[in-house]
Every structure is written in C-alpha cells, then in structure tokens.
Amino acid sequence: MKQIAYTIFGLWMGLAGPATAGPVQISMELGDYRFKPARLEVSVGQEVELKLTNTDSITPHNFVLKAPEAGLDMTVDVPPGASKTVRFTPGKPGFFPFYCDKRLLFFKSHRERGMHGVLTVNAK
Ligand SMILES: [Cu+2]
C-alpha cells in the first residue's frame, strides 16, 4: 500500500514537474503621484513580468525606464483605472531609476512631485 502511495506521489511530481522557470511576476500601483512599491529588486538575466495598475480615477500615469545599456528601454502609458503588463529581462546589474513623466499644462511633472523609483538588478 505504501509502495502505491509513493508511486502515485512520484507520478504526480512527474506531471507537476519542478517549478517552471517563467518570469518573475511583480505588481505595482501607480497613483497619487507615487509608485507602490517604489523599489524593485530583480536578478540579471531573469525575465520580469511587471503589472502596472493605475489606481487614480482621472490622472494618467506612465512608467518610464531608460537604460538601453542594460537592455531596458520602455515607456508604458497607463490610463486611469487601467492595468498594463510589460515584460523585460535586465542584461546588466546596477541601479536603474524609473519615473512618470506626465505633466498637466504648466504644473510640475509627476516625477518632480515624487513619482519615481529605482530598479535594482543584482548580479547572479
Ligand atoms: Cu504620473
């Protein structure tokens, strides 16, 4: 009986397999001129799936990260109440700032109001 249980367990493990090496999934909220969380930490060479959700009801935001030397170059617009998902794979360790560059007329940009953060990419 014990043998059968082990066999079934073994089969189940075989079917489920080891944890698949998919992207690391991170959720981030954009709202009230802030990113939450404002600090992200990932590893070099690891694919990241970042879900951006704008929690404001009328203010558009975006996620800008310009570090082409590390394979990171994106501007993702997120309309109020919407979610956008972006995938990227950092190619270099370092600290990479990101921000929202939206601005209403002559007012300060969201970045100037504190809407910025840092992506830390650790070496393997
Ligand atoms: Cu913004």
Side-chain angles (χ1 to χ4, degrees):
M1 193 62 204
K2 214 171 187 181
Q3 193 57 50
I4 292 167
Y6 281 132
T7 305
I8 290 169
F9 183 66
L11 277 172
W12 178 76
M13 285 301 284
L15 289 173
T20 49
V24 168
Q25 294 174 317
I26 301 173
S27 293
M28 179 186 263
E29 290 186 357
L30 293 71
D32 205 20
Y33 307 111
R34 291 288 181 276
F35 288 105
K36 275 192 285 183
R39 291 182 173 275
L40 304 179
E41 203 168 333
V42 298
S43 296
V44 72
Q46 167 69 62
E47 187 178 22
V48 179
E49 185 177 283
L50 179 62
K51 186 181 181 191
L52 305 162
T53 300
N54 184 341
T55 56
D56 282 339
S57 50
I58 55 167
T59 311
H61 294 294
N62 65 9
F63 178 88
V64 182
L65 202 169
K66 297 284 175 193
E69 72 280 9
L72 306 167
D73 189 352
M74 59 196 116
T75 301
V76 185
D77 282 303
V78 191
S83 287
K84 288 278 181 73
T85 299
V86 62
R87 281 191 182 208
F88 58 86
T89 304
K92 218 177 104 172
F95 302 100
F96 304 103
F98 57 83
Y99 53 89
C100 171
D101 73 356
K102 295 287 182 186
R103 171 200 296 269
L104 180 63
L105 303 172
F106 49 83
F107 293 103
K108 283 181 173 179
S109 72
H110 294 189
R111 184 183 196 176
E112 289 169 313
R113 285 168 171 245
M115 196 163 183
H116 52 78
V118 176
L119 171 73
T120 299
V121 179
N122 294 312
K124 266 192 234 178

